[in-house]
Amino acid sequence: MKLLSVTARANLIGIVAVLIASASILFISLRFVVLEELHEQLTLKAQRIESAISPGHEFYDPFTSIQELSGEDVSLGEDVFSDTLIYDDTQNEYEDYRMLETVRNVDGRLYRIKTATSRVEWEEFLGIIFAVFLGISALLLIVMQIINQRLTRKIWTPFFTNLKRVQSFSLQSKEAIQFEESSVQEFTELNEVLERMTSKVQQDYGALKDFTENASHEIQTPLAVILSGLDQLGQSPTLDEAAAARIETIKGAATRLSKLNRNLLLLTKIENRQFSTAETLNLKKVLRSHLEMMEDLFATKKILPTIEIEETLSVKADPALLDILIGNLLANAYRHSENRAQVNVTSKTNRLVFSNTGNPLNIDPEKLFERFYKSSTTESSQGLGLAIVKQICELYGWEIIYSYTEGKHCFVVGFK
């Protein structure tokens, strides 16, 4: 849930809770005031009745009953107020009344007086006040929500603008990121921190990029000199077999070191997203090109690879990286296949499947894509081929999955 939604919901819940509490207090208070007013009216009415039943006075009220009491056990008591229903002939219905029952001493005689007054007008008055309060509360709630939304949007607009700029920020860009100014102190401090951070990251990235490229170049140059010298020594006519074998061993180690240097440089470039070129490439054409180049290599194991993919299946990627991905997966299939094994490349709904028959792996499949993690049966492998494949897939948001079923190794590349 977005921050604005969280704060708006919290404010709404708080305001509604306060309004409900206020409405309850108002209702109870108004009800108490109305009852007190009714009690006061009934008390005054009882006093008028008491005066009216004195000698020489008459009193008539359809909602009053007067009963003279006799007996020594009758005594004056407190006034008793209660609610009652009285049938109204004009309305043809029962209506709420507030009744007072009291005993009064008039000229030495005791009288039980019961008198009532209608609550309808007061209840309507109470209802009107409560309805007005609810209407004002609802209007206040709507106005506050509108003001809150507009105010928060205005305050948070620079933040969301800067967030988009940070999301689109590229290390390869040499220009410093420009942040939208804000009148909020916290956002201003955040902008200052982000400016320093992005500037430092760009500097570190540039330094790392230069170091990687320079180091790779400086290592590759002496390795080329070593390999050239070893070739010349290997062609010497006076070289005996032991020395020639020793030179071949050194040459093989230097070649692996040169290849390792190139692969590590490639991984670094992929991680740093230095491949910005993207073209729409037909996968079947790229696969056929690789299989033609590797035909003699597969022939050494008497393997005839097959391709069964859609003619129109294509992806958008850097041509060099797609070549490396397909080449590494085909090379992996060759490396882990026995003589006369089956190597197939098929497609299934934007997925490319590389499969080959072979023995189960003697390593943990979950670590298959880690750097320098390799099978003990492939000593010549550097353990970087599948790691490079994984990095290329992550660069383009593709998915790479390995499985071993029914005697087949399967690598599935899912394109998005």
Side-chain angles (χ1 to χ4, degrees), residues 289-400:
S289 174
H290 276 273
L291 288 177
E292 287 177 0
M293 291 187 294
M294 300 177 69
E295 183 178 358
D296 294 337
L297 183 63
F298 279 107
T300 60
K301 290 187 177 182
K302 299 181 180 179
I303 298 174
L304 185 60
T306 60
I307 301 177
E308 297 179 5
I309 65 174
E310 303 171 8
E311 293 285 347
T312 58
L313 183 60
S314 59
V315 294
K316 194 172 184 179
D318 185 282
L321 291 183
L322 185 62
D323 282 338
I324 293 170
L325 182 142
I326 292 176
N328 284 1
L329 289 175
L330 288 175
N332 184 77
Y334 168 80
R335 189 178 297 113
H336 293 279
S337 296
E338 302 292 336
N339 290 335
R340 300 182 184 278
Q342 297 178 4
V343 175
N344 303 309
V345 183
T346 58
S347 63
K348 295 180 181 178
T349 317
N350 289 332
R351 291 185 300 170
L352 200 60
V353 182
F354 294 79
S355 63
N356 64 280
T357 55
N359 298 322
L361 295 177
N362 57 1
I363 59 174
D364 186 359
E366 294 184 359
K367 298 182 179 180
L368 197 60
F369 297 100
E370 294 183 4
R371 297 183 184 185
F372 304 110
Y373 197 81
K374 59 183 180 178
S375 171
S376 59
T377 60
T378 55
E379 296 297 334
S380 59
S381 172
Q382 296 176 341
L384 290 176
L386 293 179
I388 294 174
V389 170
K390 180 71 172 178
Q391 287 293 328
I392 294 174
C393 290
E394 290 181 353
L395 177 66
Y396 292 111
W398 301 340
E399 186 181 29
I400 179 74

Side-chain angles (χ1 to χ4, degrees), residues 42-169:
L42 289 171
T43 302
L44 292 174
K45 188 177 181 181
Q47 292 176 356
R48 291 196 302 271
I49 294 171
E50 183 180 351
S51 300
I53 61 179
S54 299
H57 295 83
E58 293 183 0
F59 182 83
Y60 173 76
D61 182 12
F63 302 110
T64 300
S65 68
I66 304 172
Q67 179 184 2
E68 186 176 355
L69 302 175
S70 61
E72 297 179 355
D73 56 338
V74 179
S75 60
L76 298 176
E78 294 183 355
D79 295 346
V80 178
F81 296 95
S82 60
D83 292 327
T84 186
L85 293 174
I86 298 177
Y87 187 78
D88 188 349
D89 295 334
T90 60
Q91 299 292 335
N92 294 324
E93 62 180 9
Y94 285 94
E95 292 186 351
D96 291 326
Y97 280 77
R98 190 68 175 174
M99 186 176 69
L100 168 63
E101 182 176 352
T102 183
V103 177
R104 298 293 175 94
N105 188 335
V106 181
D107 297 334
R109 297 180 179 183
L110 296 178
Y111 295 90
R112 176 176 283 112
I113 301 173
K114 293 182 179 180
T115 185
T117 185
S118 177
R119 293 182 53 176
V120 175
E121 292 80 3
W122 289 102
E123 292 292 342
E124 290 178 353
F125 172 72
L126 182 62
I128 291 173
I129 293 178
F130 196 67
V132 170
F133 173 80
L134 291 180
I136 294 175
S137 299
L139 179 62
L140 177 63
L141 184 62
I142 293 172
V143 172
M144 289 184 65
Q145 280 296 105
I146 294 175
I147 294 175
N148 183 57
Q149 287 182 357
R150 292 186 177 180
L151 183 61
T152 51
R153 285 179 181 175
K154 182 178 180 181
I155 293 174
W156 284 87
T157 295
F159 173 81
F160 289 116
T161 301
N162 294 334
L163 180 60
K164 291 181 180 179
R165 293 179 181 178
V166 171
Q167 290 174 339
S168 60
F169 173 68

Side-chain angles (χ1 to χ4, degrees), residues 183-209:
S183 58
V184 181
Q185 181 180 354
E186 288 78 2
F187 290 164
T188 302
E189 293 177 357
L190 178 61
N191 291 347
E192 293 174 355
V193 172
L194 288 175
E195 285 179 359
R196 292 195 299 267
M197 184 181 299
T198 53
S199 177
K200 185 67 168 61
V201 169
Q202 283 180 319
Q203 293 176 4
D204 293 344
Y205 170 76
L208 178 62
K209 179 183 176 183

Side-chain angles (χ1 to χ4, degrees), residues 204-272:
D204 293 344
Y205 170 76
L208 178 62
K209 179 183 176 183
D210 292 340
F211 170 79
T212 303
E213 293 178 352
N214 294 337
S216 175
H217 176 74
E218 295 300 325
I219 293 174
Q220 203 67 29
T221 300
L223 283 175
V225 174
I226 293 172
L227 289 172
S228 177
L230 290 173
D231 284 337
Q232 293 179 0
L233 287 175
Q235 296 175 4
S236 176
T238 59
L239 197 65
D240 56 23
E241 292 183 1
R246 186 64 176 172
I247 289 174
E248 286 299 320
T249 302
I250 298 172
K251 183 178 179 181
T255 301
R256 288 195 297 273
L257 181 59
S258 178
K259 186 177 180 181
L260 175 63
N261 180 59
R262 290 194 300 270
N263 286 337
L264 288 175
L265 177 61
L266 176 62
L267 276 171
T268 303
K269 288 183 176 181
I270 295 174
E271 291 174 347
N272 293 337

